[in-house]
Amino acid sequence: MAAEPVWSVDPRTGKPREQVAVEATTAEVDRAVRAAHASREALADRTVRAAFLRTAADLLDGAGGQIAEAADAETALGPVRLTGELARTTAQLRAFADVVEEGSYLDVRIDLPDPGATPPRPDMRRWKIPLGVVAVYAASNFPLAFSVPGGDTASALAAGCPVVVKAHPDHPATSELCASLLRRAAAKAGLPEDVLVLVHGFEAGVELVRHPLVAAAGFTGSIRGGRALFDAAVARPVPIPFHGELGSLNPVVITPAAVGERAEEIGGGLAGSMTLGAGQFCTKPGFVLAPRGEDGDRFLAALTAGVSETEPSVMLDHRMRDAFVAGVAERAALAGVRTPVTPGAGGEHTVSAGVLDVDADRLADGGHRLLLEECFGPVTVVARYSSREEVTAVLGLLPGNLTATLHIAEEDADAAPLLAELTPLAGRVLVNGWPTGVAVAPAQHHGGPYPATTSTSTSVGATAIERWLRPVTYQSTPGHLLPPELRDGNPAAVPRR
């Protein structure tokens, strides 16, 4: 594997800015994984881990201006959005520090011996231990919250797992800056810097998932790339868990009663959600079932007006821009597809947001199934239905999703049956809201049936830590040999069952 230069590129012009690094060779990936693996024992102390996570958050916040400037130069996401994303990222690190200190994630369960039970029960004490080195694949659309210092990294470190991050080529300079701050935080907390190591390059990513000392992987990206890495992870001599977020259409169902009650409000809300961040959110509502008729027309008119007012935007890179332009052109060319607002190229380096409109009964035709696939960028498909039966038929065609949204009226007889139909399709089901915006909270679930994700886990929220742990039971083990969390008297003061 030859070492190639890694360039930071300005998406506003498509021109290289600076050479940031070189792609990691096979030998360098091996050294990175082995260095991370050697730091495992240093991460064993929960108090030290929590201090490390908080120190990392403080250092990132302290460099906030520099980080936002670097990320904007590479992603064109803008300083306001990036400042908010950094705040989310550091809050997430501090939240996981709290999770580590509180200790319930260890899921400690103790069964005292009972010789009279059938069968007799010995002393058994169960908790969870870290898997080992975690490979994290950074996302293009969130250079902070789902990249080097993001949720996969934070949750893995919180679990006690060292991390090797494969930087995304869209923001290598930002990745280097954030990695240096995390490594500095480790040193300040008394940990080896190699609890986090950064590598660059496509082939490095492939080598990483195949390395025998890598114990698990977290990925956010395309279906094609994620599936290739997932297949490599399970084809290893020793398969490993691969927690991939791959793609999502995020369907929306609007009832006749809802558009009758607030057509303009729903249309305007959808316009804002599907164009947010140039339509590059993984939770963008990309497919909408709306009723025919006058109320449905009012909804579509409000959506059209909102999208028409959106200025052309810069996507994360020119490859994504070209894929968007080609993708919407292919969809718009399908028979019966209307374009209330034509999406496509907004200029040499930009794209224009748009809306595609089609009759719902056309989706049963195999040639129109393309409309049921995610198109990354600022476009949504509105399918107009005439009956409740059409809604059920279309929902039966949809793949798994991160989210599903239902818009209902205050008194809506169809609300409960529709909610029941949407629930199997997604990991998060919303009512009368919009899916863009994923709160970092204990009850959050950011995942869903394939191809939304490759596992049943979440990548956001406190329970994301569970991906990097496995249970172990100690049976009839003398107390002095047990971890403090499992000893009589609970010297580690963790919740226990």
Side-chain angles (χ1 to χ4, degrees):
M1 188 168 65
E4 296 290 339
V6 174
W7 289 88
S8 173
V9 176
D10 183 349
R12 294 179 173 95
T13 64
K15 295 180 180 179
R17 298 175 55 249
E18 60 177 335
Q19 182 180 339
V20 173
V22 293
E23 295 185 355
T25 63
T26 300
E28 287 166 341
V29 171
D30 179 63
R31 284 197 294 271
V33 174
R34 292 186 183 281
H37 186 261
S39 73
R40 290 173 356 272
E41 293 303 318
L43 279 171
D45 189 306
R46 290 191 297 120
T47 302
V48 173
R49 291 209 306 276
F52 164 40
L53 293 170
R54 292 195 178 102
T55 301
D58 291 343
L59 290 180
L60 289 163
D61 279 339
Q66 184 183 1
I67 292 170
E69 182 180 0
D72 180 54
E74 294 186 306
T75 65
L77 289 173
V80 174
R81 147 72 194 271
L82 291 164
T83 299
E85 186 180 332
L86 179 60
R88 170 202 177 90
T89 303
T90 56
Q92 190 166 238
L93 286 162
R94 294 185 179 100
F96 275 114
D98 294 342
V99 168
V100 172
E101 284 184 334
E102 190 267 343
S104 62
Y105 76 97
L106 294 168
D107 195 23
V108 174
R109 298 164 185 260
I110 295 177
D111 283 313
L112 298 177
D114 184 356
T118 305
R121 186 177 69 218
D123 183 290
M124 294 188 295
R125 301 176 184 231
R126 182 185 189 270
W127 74 329
K128 291 182 178 179
I129 64 171
L131 290 175
V133 177
V134 171
V136 169
Y137 295 81
S140 62
N141 55 343
F142 283 87
L144 306 174
F146 285 83
S147 292
V148 174
D152 285 351
T153 298
S155 58
L157 291 171
C161 295
V163 173
V164 180
V165 182
K166 205 289 285 183
H168 196 281
D170 278 356
H171 40 79
T174 307
S175 298
E176 285 284 346
L177 174 57
C178 291
S180 70
L181 292 166
L182 290 178
R183 288 170 63 85
R184 192 190 311 169
K188 289 186 71 171
L191 293 168
E193 290 187 348
D194 288 336
V195 295
L196 182 129
V197 187
L198 183 69
V199 297
H200 296 267
F202 175 82
E203 291 298 330
V206 176
E207 294 286 342
L208 194 54
V209 80
R210 291 174 176 165
H211 196 286
L213 293 180
V214 168
F219 172 91
T220 303
S222 69
I223 293 178
R224 181 180 178 185
R227 183 54 192 259
L229 290 170
F230 173 81
D231 290 346
V234 299
R236 293 165 37 126
V238 178
I240 60 172
F242 183 89
H243 300 285
E245 180 193 318
L246 310 188
S248 187
L249 193 61
N250 304 304
V252 178
V253 177
I254 307 170
T255 67
V259 289
E261 188 176 86
R262 56 184 198 285
E264 288 77 15
E265 177 187 333
I266 296 172
L270 175 59
S273 183
M274 51 84 54
T275 59
L276 185 66
Q280 297 172 117
F281 278 49
C282 51
T283 52
K284 179 201 76 175
F287 179 78
V288 183
L289 277 161
R292 295 181 189 271
E294 291 184 7
D295 291 334
D297 291 344
R298 288 194 296 119
F299 153 76
L300 187 59
L303 172 62
T304 298
V307 174
S308 297
E309 294 171 1
T310 304
E311 294 293 326
S313 52
V314 177
M315 294 190 70
L316 294 162
D317 63 39
H318 279 58
R319 176 184 57 81
M320 292 182 190
R321 175 193 175 276
D322 293 345
F324 172 77
V325 171
V328 293
E330 185 179 4
R331 287 163 173 80
L334 293 171
V337 173
R338 301 171 289 271
T339 54
V341 188
T342 303
E348 185 180 357
H349 306 293
T350 60
V351 296
S352 292
V355 177
L356 304 178
D357 176 29
V358 68
D359 296 334
D361 56 10
R362 283 190 176 269
L363 297 171
D365 170 24
H368 285 71
R369 297 294 174 87
L370 182 63
L371 297 172
L372 303 180
E373 296 178 13
E374 179 186 16
C375 186
F376 192 71
V379 66
T380 197
V381 174
V382 178
R384 305 291 296 273
Y385 65 87
S386 299
S387 67
R388 179 66 173 78
E389 290 72 24
E390 276 190 344
V391 173
T392 295
V394 173
L395 292 180
L397 301 173
L398 296 183
N401 292 272
L402 294 171
T403 72
T405 301
L406 177 62
H407 278 271
I408 58 176
E410 187 170 344
E411 298 292 333
D412 203 323
D414 210 20
L418 277 170
L419 195 68
E421 285 187 50
L422 287 173
T423 297
L425 294 176
R428 179 163 57 106
V429 183
L430 300 87
V431 177
N432 292 346
W434 299 107
T436 40
V438 184
V440 180
Q444 182 61 268
H445 187 83
H446 190 62
Y450 185 86
T453 54
T454 58
S455 71
T456 59
S457 302
T458 180
S459 61
V460 179
T463 54
I465 195 173
E466 296 172 0
R467 297 174 295 169
W468 321 119
L469 300 162
R470 70 175 181 88
V472 172
T473 293
Y474 292 96
Q475 181 172 322
S476 303
T477 303
H480 70 281
L481 296 178
L482 291 168
E485 290 84 354
L486 300 183
R487 293 177 189 168
D488 290 340
N490 197 9
V494 297
R496 312 202 293 191
R497 180 177 296 173

